[in-house]
Every structure is written in structure tokens, then in C-alpha cells.
């Protein structure tokens, strides 16, 4: 029985992979790289090759921007209702092919199928949300305070955009940028991460099938991100850079973007505190901790990175949390029984272990886990650490793995100090049954988002983004489309003057 399930799955995998476009999408056509180069995409749970894709270089990037620039004027004039309806059709096509998208993400990224299915729902929701927002980019008309002129304020698409996405949420990170750009009337060059580009390839084909005109979305997968996109950032035809990835790369891109005073949106790294007060419902806090820590195997910018727990409940919380963590079965994401997939590559797994080792060397104790899992793929044991020293690297750096360090606090003031003690400010989680305390935490935590008795905050209808070194700008919500619009003001002479 197991063999036949595996055989069907292997056949299904190869049929799906055979249907993925392998070229670069430029001006509505899939084509090889000018250099003829290709690169391999692998399955992180086995290390085996899945597919080879065209490997774009600077010449291809220039052709992609040529196509985006050529399509911009007519795309901006396309009725917003039509742009919205393309997004709505794309939403329906992705939903109809949800199982294909889920399997593809599991194959290239490693997350369990159930999580990939969740990402299809989350990622496609940006298409639906912005299909509705496309027709609501309103301006305003007003009489100036002195009554002598009229003020007409309109919203216009910023123009061709470069969108750079990370490997951890292959569908959602793309739709969170593409959907508002389409709604606003911008054309695009998308550069997906080279570790997980296949989902973007399939999604771009879906956008064409939904009726997106040639040249509006161009896709250039590449293994040479810096040299390939560098010239675009300095090209005066490019008007916007939207980047999701590490703070380190974001900082470099911000500096490059300063030359042309390019508009930027930056969704960068995180170091989320997860604060549990003495009055929290501990079972709910443990359930939230599992979500905030293990979603995407901990490879999420929103992953809880530091568990800050009141000293009176720390032992009970740690024991319950460790018990749940140790129940997680690791395996290939395509197996329905798998609860925890591999990390993305050997480098990431080794970095996670280095942070754990540093904490253990500094006196921390592993209640569960604490080591890589032997065998094919890049698996790491779900790990809970207690007695973590205040200066441990694991409290300062993004872990990006299934590891939960716990530190304790005595007073609310102390919890706030610990939570804010980071250069990042993306999200925080707070568990308390005292609403006033929850609101006080909202006011005092230096983060763009807060999960109050909630382990997940991502929602297409909400503004996602950070403060401090977690980034600039917001994606999703009413704010998301604004990132792709600029405001023009037209001053009009007093209509009663003559
Ligand atoms: P990364 O190494 O910064 O890469 C992100 C993207 O930037 C990839 O497409 C990468 O290309 C590209 N890139 C790298 N160097 C570049 C350069 N010099 N010029 C232009 N593009 C360049 O980050 P990652 O490892 O993929 O993703 C993990 C990071 O993303 C974490 O820090 C996580 O917190 C952050 N993240 C943030 C959010 C958020 O919304 N705040 C969401 C998800 C992830 P290649 O990989 O193809 O080389």
C-alpha cells in the first residue's frame, strides 16, 4: 500500500514539474537566458534536483525592464475594474489549482503539505483583496482654506517596479507584491529567490492565463542576484524597488537605491519576542507558541525568536511547550504524516546548530532537541532551551529554525525592556488575560505588529511590516496599494474669480 502511494506521488510530482515553464518571462514570452545558462532547483528534503531553469544575466534583466517600461503607459490607462478582474480571475485559477501550488511549494521549499495549503489560501487572498482595492484608489477635491483655489489630489501608479522575493514563502511573498502593483497599474520585473523559483514560474503563467497583458509582469530567475539586478536599480526607467529578505541585503539595496532616489519598500528580518505573563491561559500560550515558532519550520520573519516568560509560570510553560515540540514528526513534506519539514539548505541548518551550540556553551539547557537529524535533507530537531544567558547570540540573531530559547522576567517593565532589546521591530506576541495590560504592551512595544493572544498575525486585509531595522512600508491592508501609487496635486485657480 505504501509503495503504491509513493509511486502515484512520484508520478504526480514528475507530471507537475513537467508542466512548469523553465524559461524567463519577458514581454509575454517564456525564453532561454541570453547566455544559454541554466541552474538546478533542488528538493531540500532529499538534496535531489527537481528542475533546471534559465539563469538570467544583466542582458536579460535589461530586456525585462525594456518590456516593463514599454507596457507601463497603456497598463496605467487600463480601467481599474479590468485590472481588478484580472486579479480576481487569478485568485480563482490559483484556488482551482491549489493542490498543484501546494505540492510545488513543498517540493522546492520542504514545508509539509498542510502548511503549503495554508500558504495557498494566504497567498491567493492578496489577489482577491487587491482585486477589490483596485477600484478604490481615490483622490480628493477640496476648497483651499482661504477659499481662493481648489485642490485636486489624485493617485497615480509609480511606474515600473523591481520586486525581489525570498525563498521562505514562495507564493505569498510574490502575490503580496504583484497583486497591489497590478491593482495600482504598475508593470513589474520579479526576481524570485533562486532556491524556490518554481512557484513564481507557475504563478506567472497563471497571471498570463488570467489575462495579464504581455510585458506587465516579467520574471527573471537568476543565480547572480546582485550583478543581474544592479543595473536595473540605477536605470532611470525603474521607479520602485520592493524587497523582502534579510536586513543585511536590504541595507545594501537601500544604499544602491539612493543613487536614483528610488522609492523603496523593505520587508526585512525579525527577532520577535513572545511574552507570556503570569495570568496567561498557558495552554493557549503553548498552542500559540507552536504556531509562532514552528510555522514554516521556524523559517519565517515573524517566527517567535525569544520566549520571555514570567518566572512564576516559566517551568510549567517550558515543560508543556517541550512536550508538544517533541511530538513533531520530521519528514519529507509530501508525506501527509509529516509535521516538520527540512530547513532550506545545509548552510541554514549549520547556522541554526551554531546558535544552539553557542547557547549551550554559555550555560543553556536543552529540554528537548539540540541537534541536527541525521540522514538525507537538512533536518533539525525541534528544540527548547532554558537558562539562556542574556548575551547569547541566539537572543540577538534571527534563528530561522525550530529552536525556542526561553528567558524569564519578574515585572512588566522588565518584560518590555527585554522585548525591545533588539535592532529589529517586526512583530511581537503577548499572552495575557488582562486586556489593559495587552493594550499597554501594544503602546510600549517597538514593533509594526502585535499578536495579542494570537500566534499568527498574517492577514491580507492587514498592514504587514516592521519598524527599526525590520523595514519600511507596509504590505496588505488598505496601506498595501499605497506603496505602488504616488500622489499628484493639481492646484486650480478660483472658479469664481472671472
Ligand atoms: P536574502 O538572502 O536577503 O535574499 C532575499 C532575496 O534577495 C533573494 O531573492 C536573493 O536572491 C536576493 N538578493 C540577495 N542578494 C542580492 C543583491 N545583492 N541584490 C539583489 N538581490 C539580492 O534573504 P533570504 O535568505 O532569501 O530570506 C530570509 C530573510 O528574509 C530573513 O531575514 C527573513 O526575516 C526575511 N523575510 C522578511 C519578511 C518580511 O515580510 N519582513 C518575509 C519573509 C522573509 P537569491 O537568493 O536568489 O540569491
Amino acid at each position: 500500500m505504501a509503495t503504491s502511494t509513493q509511486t502515484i506521488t512520484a508520478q504526480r510530482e514528475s507530471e507537475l514539474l513537467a508542466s512548469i515553464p523553465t524559461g524567463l518571462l519577458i514581454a509575454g514570452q517564456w525564453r532561454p537566458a541570453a547566455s544559454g545558462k541554466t541552474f538546478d532547483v533542488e528538493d531540500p528534503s532529499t538534496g535531489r534536483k527537481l528542475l533546471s531553469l534559465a539563469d538570467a544575466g544583466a542582458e536579460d534583466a535589461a530586456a525585462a525592464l525594456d518590456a516593463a517600461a514599454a507596457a507601463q503607459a497603456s497598463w496605467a490607462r487600463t480601467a481599474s475594474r479590468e485590472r481588478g478582474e484580472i486579479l480576481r480571475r487569478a485568485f480563482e485559477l490559483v484556488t482551482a489549482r491549489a493542490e498543484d501550488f501546494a505540492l510545488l511549494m513543498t517540493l522546492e521549499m520542504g514545508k509539509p503539505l498542510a502548511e503549503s495549503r495554508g500558504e495557498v489560501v494566504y497567498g491567493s487572498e492578496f489577489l482577491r483583496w487587491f482585486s477589490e482595492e483596485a477600484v478604490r484608489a481615490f483622490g480628493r477635491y477640496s476648497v483651499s482654506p482661504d477659499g481662493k483655489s481648489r485642490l485636486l489630489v489624485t493617485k497615480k501608479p509609480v511606474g515600473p517596479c523591481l520586486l525581489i522575493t525570498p525563498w521562505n514563502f514562495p507564493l505569498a511573498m510574490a502575490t503580496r507584491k504583484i497583486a497591489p502593483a497590478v491593482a495600482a497599474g504598475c508593470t513589474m520585473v520579479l526576481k524570485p529567490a533562486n532556491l524556490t523559483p518554481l512557484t513564481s514560474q507557475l504563478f506567472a503563467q497563471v497571471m498570463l492565463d488570467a489575462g495579464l497583458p504581455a510585458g506587465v509582469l516579467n520574471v527573471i530567475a537568476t543565480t547572480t542576484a546582485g550583478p543581474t539586478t544592479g543595473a536595473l536599480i540605477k536605470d532611470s526607467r525603474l521607479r520602485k524597488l520592493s524587497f523582502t529578505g534579510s536586513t543585511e541585503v536590504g541595507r545594501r539595496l537601500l544604499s544602491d537605491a539612493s543613487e536614483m532616489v528610488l522609492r523603496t519598500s523593505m520587508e526585512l528580518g525579525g527577532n520577535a519576542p513572545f511574552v507570556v505573563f503570569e495570568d496567561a491561559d498557558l495552554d493557549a500560550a503553548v498552542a500559540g507558541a507552536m504556531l509562532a515558532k514552528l510555522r514554516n519550520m521556524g523559517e519565517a520573519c515573524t517566527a517567535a525568536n525569544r520566549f520571555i516568560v514570567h518566572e512564576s509560570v516559566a517551568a510549567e510553560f517550558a515543560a508543556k511547550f517541550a512536550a508538544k515540540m517533541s511530538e513533531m514528526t520530521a519528514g519529507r513534506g509530501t508525506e501527509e504524516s509529516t509535521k516538520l519539514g527540512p530547513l532550506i539548505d545545509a548552510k541554514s541548518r549549520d547556522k541554526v546548530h551554531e546558535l544552539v551550540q553557542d547557547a549551550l556553551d554559555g550555560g543553556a539547557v536543552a529540554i528537548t532537541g539540540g541537534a541536527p537529524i541525521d540522514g538525507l535533507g537538512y533536518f533539525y530537531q525541534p528544540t527548547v532551551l532554558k537558562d539562556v544567558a542574556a548575551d547569547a547570540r541566539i537572543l540577538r540573531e534571527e534563528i530561522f529554525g525550530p529552536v525556542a530559547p526561553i528567558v524569564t522576567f519578574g515585572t512588566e517593565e522588565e518584560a518590555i525592556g527585554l522585548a525591545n532589546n533588539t535592532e529589529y521591530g517586526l512583530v511581537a506576541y503577548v499572552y495575557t488575560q488582562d486586556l489593559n495590560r495587552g493594550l499597554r504592551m501594544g503602546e510600549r512595544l517597538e514593533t509594526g505588529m502585535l499578536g495579542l493572544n494570537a500566534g499568527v498575525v498574517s492577514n491580507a486585509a492587514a498592514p504587514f511590516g516592521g519598524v527599526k531595522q525590520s523595514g519600511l512600508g507596509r504590505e496588505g491592508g488598505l496601506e498595501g496599494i499605497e506603496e505602488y501609487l504616488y500622489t499628484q496635486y493639481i492646484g486650480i485657480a478660483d472658479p469664481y474669480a472671472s
Side-chain angles (χ1 to χ4, degrees):
M1 192 64 194
T3 315
S4 94
T5 306
Q6 276 160 14
T7 312
I8 291 165
T9 304
Q11 187 186 339
R12 163 113 173 81
E13 284 174 23
S14 49
E15 280 170 6
L16 175 61
L17 290 170
S19 74
I20 305 302
T22 56
L24 309 173
L25 178 62
I26 296 176
Q29 302 293 322
W30 293 102
R31 51 155 109 157
S35 65
K37 285 189 186 155
T38 60
F39 70 101
D40 294 343
V41 181
E42 72 168 39
D43 176 343
S45 66
T46 60
R48 282 194 218 109
K49 172 184 153 181
L50 293 169
L51 210 57
S52 293
L53 292 192
D55 191 352
E59 196 181 328
D60 304 300
L65 183 56
D66 289 346
Q72 180 58 59
S74 66
W75 181 236
R77 279 197 306 274
T78 303
S80 59
R81 176 70 77 203
E82 199 175 323
R83 296 198 301 265
E85 280 171 359
I86 290 170
L87 288 172
R88 177 72 203 198
R89 278 197 294 278
F91 166 75
E92 275 153 18
L93 289 171
V94 171
T95 303
R97 295 192 65 182
E99 283 301 303
D100 284 352
F101 275 99
L103 178 56
L104 195 58
M105 279 193 277
T106 290
L107 289 177
E108 65 174 342
M109 195 273 163
K111 68 182 89 184
L113 268 177
E115 288 208 38
S116 294
R117 291 182 184 123
E119 184 175 342
V120 176
V121 173
Y122 172 53
S124 63
E125 194 55 38
F126 288 99
L127 302 168
R128 179 155 63 174
W129 175 260
F130 286 109
S131 76
E132 294 156 352
E133 288 301 288
V135 292
R136 301 201 172 88
F138 301 129
R140 65 180 189 270
Y141 176 84
S142 62
V143 180
S144 66
D146 64 6
K148 291 184 184 153
S149 54
R150 300 296 176 265
L151 318 179
L152 180 61
V153 177
T154 59
K155 299 286 176 81
K156 298 167 81 172
V158 292
C161 305
L162 173 60
L163 313 177
I164 301 181
T165 51
W167 49 263
N168 57 350
F169 292 98
L171 180 65
M173 296 302 97
T175 55
R176 212 161 76 167
K177 297 185 189 306
I178 292 170
V182 166
C186 296
T187 61
M188 295 148 273
V189 176
L190 169 70
K191 193 219 80 66
N194 73 59
L195 290 168
T196 61
L198 302 181
T199 305
S200 291
Q201 300 283 108
L202 178 59
F203 177 64
Q205 183 58 51
V206 161
M207 290 301 291
L208 296 179
D209 296 345
L212 196 71
V216 173
L217 173 63
N218 304 276
V219 183
I220 51 165
T222 177
T223 54
T224 53
T228 297
T229 59
L232 299 192
I233 295 173
K234 309 221 160 150
D235 189 312
S236 62
R237 295 172 302 165
L238 190 78
R239 298 298 164 79
K240 162 103 195 173
L241 167 63
S242 178
F243 171 79
T244 299
S246 60
T247 296
E248 186 192 349
V249 173
R251 246 186 234 121
R252 208 175 319 145
L253 292 177
L254 271 173
S255 153
D256 294 347
S258 69
E259 191 168 318
M260 300 303 289
V261 194
L262 198 59
R263 258 186 82 169
T264 56
S265 300
M266 294 275 151
E267 295 287 350
L268 308 178
N271 181 1
F274 188 105
V275 184
V276 182
F277 281 98
E278 64 277 25
D279 63 357
D281 173 337
L282 272 199
D283 291 329
V286 169
M290 291 297 289
L291 285 173
K293 182 70 256 181
L294 280 199
R295 181 167 171 242
N296 233 37
M297 290 78 75
E299 295 171 312
C301 52
T302 50
N305 217 61
R306 297 168 293 148
F307 289 82
I308 300 172
V309 186
H310 191 269
E311 57 204 10
S312 66
V313 293
E316 189 184 347
F317 174 81
K320 287 185 164 176
F321 188 21
K324 290 273 181 219
M325 289 280 269
S326 60
E327 282 168 15
M328 303 301 284
T329 20
R332 193 161 186 247
T334 48
E335 304 294 326
E336 297 281 355
S337 58
T338 294
K339 297 276 183 270
L340 185 80
L343 298 181
I344 190 70
D345 58 14
K347 201 170 117 211
S348 300
R349 181 200 50 200
D350 296 348
K351 159 94 191 293
V352 169
H353 191 50
E354 203 180 291
L355 292 177
V356 169
Q357 201 53 57
D358 173 76
L360 294 174
D361 291 348
V365 174
I367 312 177
T368 186
I373 300 173
D374 289 338
L376 278 179
Y378 314 111
F379 292 91
Y380 201 86
Q381 294 172 345
T383 299
V384 177
L385 302 174
K386 66 170 185 175
D387 302 335
V388 181
D391 62 349
R393 279 177 57 201
I394 204 160
L395 299 178
R396 291 196 310 274
E397 299 180 27
E398 240 187 330
I399 304 170
F400 248 54
V403 178
I406 299 178
V407 296
T408 58
F409 70 90
T411 64
E412 187 175 310
E413 205 55 34
E414 219 184 307
I416 292 166
L418 287 168
N420 284 338
N421 184 20
T422 168
E423 72 262 28
Y424 296 105
L426 189 61
V427 62
Y429 305 91
V430 171
Y431 274 76
T432 175
Q433 297 196 63
D434 177 344
L435 181 60
N436 285 335
R437 172 180 268 161
L439 293 175
R440 284 198 299 276
M441 294 298 281
E443 290 186 8
R444 303 222 17 223
L445 291 178
E446 298 165 352
T447 56
M449 301 176 286
L450 172 66
L452 188 51
N453 297 316
V456 177
V457 294
S458 304
N459 190 313
F464 187 106
V467 297
K468 293 159 80 177
Q469 293 187 38
S470 287
L472 306 165
R474 293 294 181 266
E475 291 189 321
L478 301 179
E479 293 79 357
I481 195 169
E482 295 294 334
E483 302 281 320
Y484 296 89
L485 294 168
Y486 74 88
T487 301
Q488 185 179 54
Y489 149 62
I490 300 175
I492 307 169
D494 184 354
Y496 296 98
S498 57

